[in-house]
Amino acid sequence: DPCAGWGGRVLGTLSAGRKYYGCDTNPRIRDTLSVMMDEIGLDPELATIECRSCLDLEQSVRLYDFAFTSPPYSNLEVYEEMSPFVDDDDYYNNFLIPMIDKCLELVKIGNKVGINVSEPIYNKLTDVYGFPKCEEKIDFLQQMGQQSGKKKDYVYLWTAL
């Protein structure tokens, strides 16, 4: 999980009995997630959280079965220890595209990378910035209270080659 955030994906992964590896630039999340996992009885030994940018990961072996994240939506979400993006070019060229590429490099060949972004961000990623179209698009029904009429959100999936 290249953008670990405050715990939804780590809790879901551990609840499914899988190991979790995540990165986030906010050093406070590690302790917060550790307390949360302890309080609900999940084994924190199954979770590794690196407090650094996922773009700094250097590994020569494809270790991961699956990568899934919900990255910041440009400057709509500016988190602790994260600098705002200068403009769309900065967001796409220096963060989103390299982040997806890094996931595709680290996931085992033939396995999936899933990115949860809004449709306008995905469309700009592929139509304006030329990133390859995903192979699969999944409606993320529980995201953002869709049942109350908010805009749809999707998980876009690519296969590591």
Side-chain angles (χ1 to χ4, degrees):
D1 183 356
C3 304
W6 290 105
R9 290 174 301 281
V10 68
L11 295 177
T13 302
L14 296 180
S15 294
R18 304 292 301 215
K19 290 182 181 177
Y20 174 89
Y21 181 87
C23 290
D24 203 282
T25 56
N26 183 351
R28 292 182 339 132
I29 69 158
R30 184 182 297 141
D31 291 339
T32 301
L33 291 175
S34 183
V35 167
M36 204 170 21
M37 288 182 280
D38 187 52
E39 286 182 4
I40 61 175
L42 295 172
D43 183 359
E45 295 297 315
L46 295 176
T48 301
I49 298 166
E50 299 260 356
C51 293
R52 63 180 173 153
S53 170
C54 63
L55 300 178
D56 295 335
L57 289 176
E58 293 294 331
Q59 294 178 338
S60 59
V61 178
R62 293 175 178 256
L63 296 175
Y64 306 105
D65 295 322
F66 180 63
F68 176 57
T69 200
S70 181
Y73 282 24
S74 189
N75 286 329
L76 291 176
E77 303 169 310
V78 178
Y79 299 105
E80 293 177 54
E81 307 297 325
M82 181 182 129
S83 300
F85 298 102
V86 175
D87 54 21
D88 278 356
D89 284 345
D90 184 31
Y91 174 70
Y92 286 92
N93 290 325
N94 297 320
F95 174 69
L96 189 62
I97 291 170
M99 186 263 306
I100 298 170
D101 283 340
K102 180 65 78 170
C103 290
L104 289 166
E105 290 171 18
L106 297 175
V107 168
K108 294 173 184 173
I109 293 173
N111 289 10
K112 301 288 185 181
V113 170
I115 307 296
N116 169 225
V117 293
S118 69
E119 197 163 26
I121 287 177
Y122 172 78
N123 289 338
K124 196 172 229 184
L125 172 70
T126 57
D127 298 344
V128 175
Y129 289 90
F131 198 79
K133 299 233 182 235
C134 69
E135 292 114 18
E136 192 175 352
K137 173 177 156 181
I138 299 171
D139 191 350
F140 208 30
L141 292 175
Q142 80 278 12
Q143 181 72 10
M144 297 172 33
Q146 280 179 229
Q147 59 278 13
S148 62
K150 292 188 180 181
K151 291 184 180 178
K152 286 190 172 195
D153 225 9
Y154 298 96
V155 175
Y156 299 91
L157 294 166
W158 291 265
T159 302
L161 303 174

